[in-house]
Amino acid sequence: MTTFFRKILFGVAMIAFLCPALGVTAAKRHVDTAADARKADYVFMEAMRQHALEHEDAYYELLGRAYQLDTTNSEVAFYRGYYDMMVAREDSLTFEKGYSMMKRHFDEKPEDFYCSFVYGSINDQLGERAEALRVWNALDKAYPAKAEVAFKFAEALASSQDSANVVKSIEVYDRIEKSQGKSIPVSTRKIRAYFISQDTASIFNEVQELIKASPGSPENSVFAGDIYAMFSEPDSALHYYNRACEIDPTFGLAYYSRANYYKSIDDSVGYDREVFQALKQESLELDTKLELLTGYIRALYEDPAQQPRIQELFATLIEQHPHEVAIHDLYCSYLIAISDYAGAAEQMSYALDVDPSVEDRWRTLMTLYIQERDYPAAAKAGVTALKYHPESPMINLVLGSVYNQMKDYDNAFVALDRALELTDSADLEELSSIYSSIGDVHYAKGDTTSALEYYNKAIEANPENLLALNNCAYYLAVEGKELDRAEKMSAKTIKEQPDNSSSLDTYAWIMFKKKDFAQAMAYIDKALENTEEPSGELFEHAGDIYFMNAEPEAALDFWEKALELEPENELLQRKVKHKTYFYE
């Protein structure tokens, strides 16, 4: 055995231990004394009992004891070896020793079905093709009527890539068919073997034999269509997809396959038609419907003309499966993609009505309400979320930010303090976010000193917290304090997010306060270019900066736009009325 064993992760379940504990009926081995042999059998039986009780430590210890008493007992060695392999991890010596102990038992008792089956499966997993083939061959000879062994033997023959073995694998599949009849699983394996041999004629012949065996099966027709499509025979593929739909007009898989066929030949009209047909079929599995719908959305969601059709598809699916969370999740994602945040929030609410256990859904719902500036709804969602996830620091963090937007500062502090309490002291990134949010609340209350103290805490905990850096820099600029430090912090945020309008506005305002009006103008222009819906504050900054750059008409235009968004702003009212800049 080589060191590659270290890299193997077992996919084989602990089926080794399905061997009946009472099946230890082998003749006594030659040991020093008959008493030790009897004792070893007894200890082994007790080991199996402990394993059944899930007492793994006792099981392992008893296995070791049984093996010490009778090292000639290959069955005990098999179980001990399997256990060692499972726990060896990077210890290649232990791994290889365990493998050898299992191999020894197979060599001595290949007819031991359960243990040999496990040993063969392990060799499949390890890629030991020659040894796997030896095991399955022996088991197939011993148990020719067991289909699971015959399948394993045929697969081992085919995977050997030896032409003679590939032929033998087909013979084994033919034997299985004689006892079980023609079926898609067996035909699939036979076609795979023919493909290895590059025998296309036999592949198509197998398809025809399958159709002939069950001419009224829509499943077989879809399978035939898929094979012909795989071999670039579009006319034959379409023929069999059509045949499947004719045999059973409610067979959703046929419409699904036909939709993919039209997509593969770039027939958008046919694809669109078949998607609708497929999704309306209740026989089509939900996962397949979601896969089809996801592909359809991905291809067409950017076309506004397709939105009514996509929403019609969702309506059909929801009518068929009103309580399937996956549909509401997908619909929510689609609505977010087209910026319908209110509709997305509605779908996420439906998903949470069905399953309120997923914390991320609650946070998504709160974020969607925030996006819509519906802060009372976001707060209500947060309070409800805490009933299901009372120990969530993140929900408390978002809830605190929502209360801040509502100017409910007392509850904001309560939620954020709770977030701090629940956060691991080693999670500096999350602590930084909470400190930054606490700083926001203090600043909103007018407590600049405390706000800057918490922003500094946030930056100390996580120097890469761009939101804290930007907010701290901006509020320093507003206060006219530490402008050089503010400039450095703001420059860092712009370097990381060169198109972020908030960061650009902050840097422009710092330049304004430093009386570098030309630089301020360059950055405020970039900020305006990079936002679809400028805020009143951004327009006001632009007006002030343009005024100081001797462009009073442009400044007035910006102030008027700002006043439209903030009609109660008295300072803006004065600037517009007198067409000039006022400091306060």
Side-chain angles (χ1 to χ4, degrees):
M1 302 295 291
T2 59
T3 55
F4 79 93
F5 284 120
R6 304 177 187 180
K7 302 177 181 178
I8 300 299
L9 292 177
F10 281 100
V12 183
M14 295 286 284
I15 57 176
F17 305 114
L18 292 177
C19 303
L22 297 179
V24 186
T25 58
K28 296 294 186 285
R29 287 79 175 171
H30 178 70
V31 290
D32 289 342
T33 66
D36 280 346
R38 288 194 299 272
K39 190 180 296 183
D41 282 345
Y42 172 79
V43 173
F44 178 54
M45 296 277 285
E46 179 61 19
M48 299 305 288
R49 191 179 75 83
Q50 292 297 323
H51 177 68
L53 295 172
E54 299 184 356
H55 298 162
E56 295 303 307
D57 290 343
Y59 167 70
Y60 181 68
E61 183 179 345
L62 289 166
L63 274 182
R65 177 63 179 150
Y67 186 63
Q68 287 176 349
L69 287 166
D70 186 358
T71 58
T72 68
N73 188 326
S74 67
E75 188 172 15
V76 174
F78 176 90
Y79 283 94
R80 175 59 184 261
Y82 185 79
Y83 193 99
D84 283 344
M85 289 181 70
M86 293 297 293
V87 300
R89 298 181 183 275
E90 299 297 316
D91 185 349
S92 61
L93 291 177
T94 300
F95 191 98
E96 291 177 23
K97 181 181 177 183
Y99 179 86
S100 296
M101 294 168 79
M102 296 181 72
K103 180 177 182 295
R104 170 190 156 194
H105 181 61
F106 171 75
D107 290 339
E108 292 187 13
K109 293 192 64 179
E111 72 281 3
D112 183 336
F113 177 80
Y114 295 103
C115 294
S116 293
F117 196 96
V118 170
Y119 179 60
S121 298
I122 285 175
N123 279 287
D124 285 337
Q125 294 291 323
L126 295 174
E128 290 287 318
R129 291 180 176 176
E131 183 67 359
L133 180 55
R134 186 173 78 95
V135 175
W136 299 124
N137 187 18
L139 271 182
D140 187 60
K141 288 179 179 178
Y143 302 96
K146 287 188 176 292
E148 65 269 37
V149 174
F151 272 115
K152 288 286 191 178
F153 181 37
E155 288 168 10
L157 285 166
S159 64
S160 71
Q161 304 294 313
D162 178 88
S163 58
N165 282 342
V166 173
V167 172
K168 289 181 182 178
S169 75
I170 295 170
E171 293 173 356
V172 176
Y173 288 130
D174 286 340
R175 170 158 52 93
I176 295 172
E177 282 185 336
K178 285 181 180 178
S179 64
Q180 296 187 347
K182 300 288 290 186
S183 67
I184 289 175
V186 177
S187 289
T188 299
R189 289 169 170 83
K190 289 177 72 174
I191 287 171
R192 191 179 301 131
Y194 287 132
F195 187 80
I196 294 171
S197 301
Q198 298 182 341
D199 187 352
T200 307
S202 292
I203 290 174
F204 291 142
N205 182 65
E206 179 63 27
V207 170
Q208 292 304 318
E209 289 295 322
L210 182 66
I211 293 291
K212 188 187 299 182
S214 299
S217 166
E219 292 92 345
N220 287 357
S221 289
V222 169
F223 177 78
D226 290 344
I227 296 300
Y228 280 107
M230 184 174 67
F231 283 91
S232 301
E233 296 280 349
D235 292 341
S236 295
L238 183 58
H239 166 76
Y240 282 106
Y241 293 143
N242 290 340
R243 176 175 171 163
C245 292
E246 291 168 5
I247 292 171
D248 184 357
T250 67
F251 189 54
L253 186 60
Y255 297 103
Y256 169 79
S257 298
R258 199 160 64 177
N260 285 330
Y261 162 80
Y262 283 120
K263 184 178 182 181
S264 71
I265 62 172
D266 296 322
D267 183 345
S268 59
V269 175
Y271 174 61
D272 190 75
R273 180 185 65 246
E274 296 304 321
V275 167
F276 272 77
Q277 287 277 17
L279 294 180
K280 290 177 180 178
Q281 306 307 316
E282 295 191 7
S283 65
L284 191 62
E285 292 184 358
L286 178 61
D287 287 347
T288 305
K289 288 182 178 180
L290 291 176
E291 177 188 341
L292 183 59
L293 184 56
T294 300
Y296 187 80
I297 292 170
R298 190 178 293 117
L300 299 174
Y301 83 93
E302 291 182 341
D303 182 359
Q306 297 295 331
Q307 291 180 11
R309 292 182 65 77
I310 292 174
Q311 293 182 353
E312 181 184 343
L313 288 176
F314 274 114
T316 298
L317 278 185
I318 290 172
E319 183 178 353
Q320 293 174 350
H321 311 280
H323 303 300
E324 287 292 345
V325 171
I327 299 174
H328 296 296
D329 279 342
L330 182 60
Y331 198 5
C332 175
S333 297
Y334 164 69
L335 292 171
I336 290 173
I338 63 172
S339 301
D340 182 356
Y341 302 117
E346 182 180 21
Q347 291 304 316
M348 188 52 66
S349 294
Y350 291 148
L352 285 165
D353 286 343
V354 177
D355 179 11
S357 67
V358 181
E359 180 183 333
D360 283 348
R361 288 198 184 102
W362 287 106
R363 289 163 56 187
T364 297
L365 179 61
M366 295 174 73
T367 302
L368 289 168
Y369 284 135
I370 292 169
Q371 186 70 33
E372 286 291 290
R373 294 182 172 82
D374 188 349
Y375 300 116
K380 182 179 179 181
V383 171
T384 305
L386 288 176
K387 293 179 181 178
Y388 297 98
H389 307 281
E391 303 300 309
S392 169
M394 291 306 298
I395 291 177
N396 278 287
L397 171 58
V398 178
L399 184 58
S401 298
V402 169
Y403 281 134
N404 186 34
Q405 293 293 332
M406 297 171 67
K407 302 187 186 322
D408 185 351
Y409 303 126
D410 289 342
N411 275 323
F413 281 129
V414 170
L416 293 171
D417 286 344
R418 178 64 174 154
L420 270 182
E421 178 186 335
L422 293 169
T423 300
D424 188 333
S425 60
D427 191 347
L428 297 179
E429 188 172 338
E430 190 164 313
L431 286 174
S432 178
S433 297
I434 299 169
Y435 288 140
S436 181
S437 295
I438 293 174
D440 292 342
V441 181
H442 279 297
Y443 195 86
K445 286 189 67 177
D447 187 350
T448 305
T449 301
S450 295
L452 293 175
E453 175 187 342
Y454 274 96
Y455 289 137
N456 287 331
K457 279 186 176 184
I459 295 167
E460 181 181 353
N462 178 18
E464 304 304 316
N465 185 335
L466 299 181
L467 182 61
L469 287 167
N470 182 69
N471 287 354
C472 187
Y474 178 70
Y475 293 134
L476 285 172
V478 170
E479 298 298 320
K481 299 176 180 178
E482 302 181 61
L483 293 178
D484 289 340
R485 178 178 174 232
E487 180 181 349
K488 290 179 181 177
M489 289 191 291
S490 183
K492 185 172 183 178
T493 67
I494 290 175
K495 181 180 178 181
E496 297 296 325
Q497 298 178 337
D499 298 325
N500 185 290
S501 62
S502 177
S503 298
L504 292 165
D505 175 44
T506 294
Y507 195 80
W509 201 238
I510 293 168
M511 293 298 102
F512 179 84
K513 285 301 186 87
K514 296 183 80 169
K515 303 190 185 308
D516 188 343
F517 301 125
Q519 277 279 76
M521 188 172 181
Y523 278 92
I524 203 68
D525 284 345
K526 288 183 181 179
L528 290 166
E529 290 170 7
N530 283 281
T531 182
E532 294 182 1
E533 297 182 9
S535 63
E537 185 177 49
L538 182 58
F539 277 134
E540 184 176 9
H541 286 170
D544 295 352
I545 290 169
Y546 268 77
F547 187 86
M548 292 303 180
N549 277 283
E551 294 196 27
E553 292 183 3
L556 180 60
D557 182 55
F558 282 124
W559 287 332
E560 287 174 343
K561 290 178 179 177
L563 190 59
E564 288 179 11
L565 296 172
E566 300 180 11
E568 304 301 318
N569 189 318
E570 294 182 2
L571 183 57
L572 273 172
Q573 292 172 3
R574 290 164 59 199
K575 290 176 182 178
V576 170
K577 179 179 179 180
H578 298 286
K579 302 180 181 180
T580 190
Y581 174 77
F582 288 90
Y583 286 93
E584 58 181 31

